[in-house]
Amino acid sequence: MSSVVELNNAAVGSGSSPEENSTGAGEQVMADLPSHAFLAAALSLKDQVVEATWRSGDGAGPGADPTLFTGLLGTAFTCLRSYEVTDNPLDLALCSDIVDACAAAAAPSRHVTFLCGRGGIYAIGAVAANYKGDHQRRDFFLHMFLQMAQEPALPIGPEEGGFGMSYELMYGRAGFLWAALFINKHLGAGTVDDDVVVAVVDAVLAGGRAGASDNPACPLMYRWHGTRYWGAANGLAGILHVLLHFPLSPQDAEDVKATLRYMMSNRFPHSGNYPSSEGNPRDNFVRWSHGATGMAITLCKASQVFPDEREFRDAAIEAGEVVWRSGLVNKVGLADGVAGNAYAFLSLYRLTGERVYEERAKAFSGYLYHNTGSEVTSVVGSGKVSDIGHGGWSLFQGLAGIACLWFDVVAPEKARFPGFEV
């Protein structure tokens, strides 16, 4: 694994085990870097991401990808994260300018989510404007968000034919709810009114019950493109994680807990990893999008919401051990790589307060530190930006996500997985 480009483009072999797609946890990971080294590296990498995706003009033209997941909005989020750490007004101005470009590039669509839709543009735009004290611009983006929230399919349950919009985090209703959570966190509870979100929460719960009607052991189940995914991106882990942020009735809470218990009881017995989808026998992914990483973060949240249910805390710790034993997976980004896996340890650190998890997060971060800097600098310096590969500068598939991780390991008690943890 000599370069970030090789890491970024290395595909995980289908059908192989997690151990075949990674190096051991004790190999090639480097810790004990001082916080100022991570901060300096984060700022440098952020600047390179901005140069490649924004100042070069390649990412802002016609047909640009305006999403947070793989596109230009991920650069805006990275600048916002940098501003929150450094208080540098130039980062905030950059964020606002990039959001405006994303808003202009975003084609009208039913995608209303934070990661892959207009929800992220309007939410980040409102928060950045609020930081700037530009209340007129803030209110504009809030108006656009609330107008988007009138999408008729959002609150429609299955009994009303509500399967026209998916339920998952990337493209569905959970992703809209996460955008509302982001706004309310930064601008104050009730900025997005309960009347807007409660109906959508109810529709998500109703859809899960309808989807699980043929499996009495699992109260909630969802399909995305016909497959019952379990992961954070398009499946149960992501949907349940969002639901755990909202007030739940006793029955709703029991259904969420029972679904988590069903998943916990159906882990792979030898590795402790989680299947990528219902009934899938292949134990081959340990990442945020599929497998133990996303589940560890969701179970951390469940332990916080249900502190008397010790089993969720124990299962979160066990999922973290799966991530650690799996070692260094063959990609670097948040969705499928080392950076995303490091966030499982940051979540466990906040849950338990145990330094071992901070040290593990810094070990993974240190590996990235020692295996990205020189290669990225040489590629950018040569002008061969395309050598990074498709999505290589993006928040979830590439280098912007590493910059956010490095910002977060500087203050791990405040760390949040971008677009997933509030």
Side-chain angles (χ1 to χ4, degrees):
M1 297 184 186
S2 60
S3 76
V4 68
V5 178
E6 291 172 4
L7 278 168
N8 210 34
N9 294 333
V12 174
S14 59
S16 57
S17 70
E19 291 75 12
E20 292 172 312
N21 299 320
S22 60
T23 60
E27 302 173 10
Q28 299 189 42
V29 289
M30 305 179 187
D32 299 327
L33 284 167
S35 293
H36 66 80
F38 282 122
L39 179 57
L43 291 170
S44 175
L45 187 51
K46 179 264 301 179
D47 288 342
Q48 293 176 70
V49 170
V50 170
E51 182 67 30
T53 62
W54 176 245
R55 292 200 175 100
S56 69
D58 293 343
D65 178 355
T67 70
L68 184 115
F69 196 84
T70 55
L72 192 57
L73 192 64
T75 303
F77 184 95
T78 307
C79 291
L80 183 67
R81 190 73 193 91
S82 181
Y83 169 76
E84 291 173 335
V85 173
T86 66
D87 209 30
N88 185 341
L90 295 178
D91 286 327
L92 192 56
L94 267 173
C95 175
S96 296
D97 289 345
I98 295 170
V99 166
D100 288 344
C102 291
S109 73
R110 292 183 64 191
H111 292 325
V112 296
T113 65
F114 191 83
L115 297 182
C116 294
R118 291 173 290 146
I121 297 171
Y122 303 148
I124 295 173
V127 170
N130 192 63
Y131 275 135
K132 292 174 69 175
D134 187 345
H135 295 168
Q136 182 177 0
R137 196 68 177 159
R138 176 201 64 191
D139 292 345
F140 167 78
F141 281 115
L142 285 176
H143 171 75
M144 295 297 292
F145 184 87
L146 294 173
Q147 188 176 54
M148 181 193 70
Q150 301 306 309
E151 164 64 50
L154 272 170
I156 296 177
E159 68 280 357
E160 302 166 290
F163 285 105
M165 177 179 285
S166 65
Y167 293 92
E168 36 73 63
L169 187 69
M170 284 184 63
Y171 300 104
R173 301 173 213 221
F176 165 80
L177 291 172
W178 201 93
L181 288 168
F182 182 82
I183 290 173
N184 283 348
K185 174 190 175 180
H186 288 277
L187 302 186
T191 302
V192 180
D193 194 82
D194 287 349
D195 290 343
V196 174
V197 296
V198 168
V200 184
V201 171
D202 289 344
V204 172
L205 288 162
R209 292 183 180 117
S213 59
D214 59 348
N215 185 356
C218 183
L220 302 172
M221 185 62 72
Y222 303 86
R223 290 179 176 84
W224 188 67
H225 288 206
T227 300
R228 297 178 175 187
Y229 286 106
W230 280 31
N234 303 113
L236 276 172
I239 297 169
L240 295 176
H241 187 262
V242 171
L243 289 175
L244 286 164
H245 288 79
F246 293 94
L248 300 172
S249 71
Q251 183 57 59
D252 295 339
E254 287 304 315
D255 284 350
V256 168
K257 288 191 285 186
T259 302
L260 287 170
R261 292 183 183 118
Y262 173 81
M263 299 174 77
M264 290 154 53
S265 66
N266 284 277
R267 288 172 285 184
F268 291 112
H270 297 295
S271 69
N273 192 29
Y274 288 79
S276 60
S277 60
E278 179 78 1
N280 191 327
R282 292 182 175 180
D283 182 5
N284 57 341
F285 295 127
V286 178
R287 52 178 67 171
W288 172 79
S289 57
H290 299 292
T293 305
M295 276 300 295
I297 297 171
T298 294
L299 288 164
C300 283
K301 182 62 181 179
S303 181
Q304 294 164 357
V305 174
F306 308 118
D308 295 333
E309 307 281 353
R310 179 76 187 196
E311 61 190 312
F312 298 129
R313 179 187 175 94
D314 292 343
I317 291 170
E318 291 167 8
E321 292 302 312
V322 173
V323 178
W324 181 246
R325 289 197 304 269
S326 180
L328 298 165
V329 296
N330 291 337
K331 294 186 180 182
V332 299
L334 293 177
D336 302 312
V338 177
N341 284 2
Y343 272 100
F345 305 129
L346 292 171
S347 296
L348 284 162
Y349 173 70
R350 296 198 317 274
L351 175 68
T352 67
E354 295 181 12
R355 286 291 304 276
V356 62
Y357 298 115
E358 179 186 5
E359 291 166 0
R360 288 179 174 183
K362 287 184 175 179
F364 277 28
S365 301
Y367 170 78
L368 293 169
Y369 178 94
H370 287 285
N371 287 273
T372 59
S374 60
E375 288 83 1
V376 174
T377 300
S378 63
V379 170
V380 175
S382 70
K384 299 176 182 177
V385 172
S386 61
D387 287 355
I388 292 291
H390 175 70
W393 294 103
S394 69
L395 185 63
F396 269 72
Q397 292 186 343
L399 302 177
I402 297 174
C404 288
L405 172 64
W406 288 341
F407 282 127
D408 277 338
V409 296
V410 172
E413 67 282 352
K414 298 179 181 178
R416 298 293 186 274
F417 192 114
F420 191 51
E421 294 182 285
V422 181

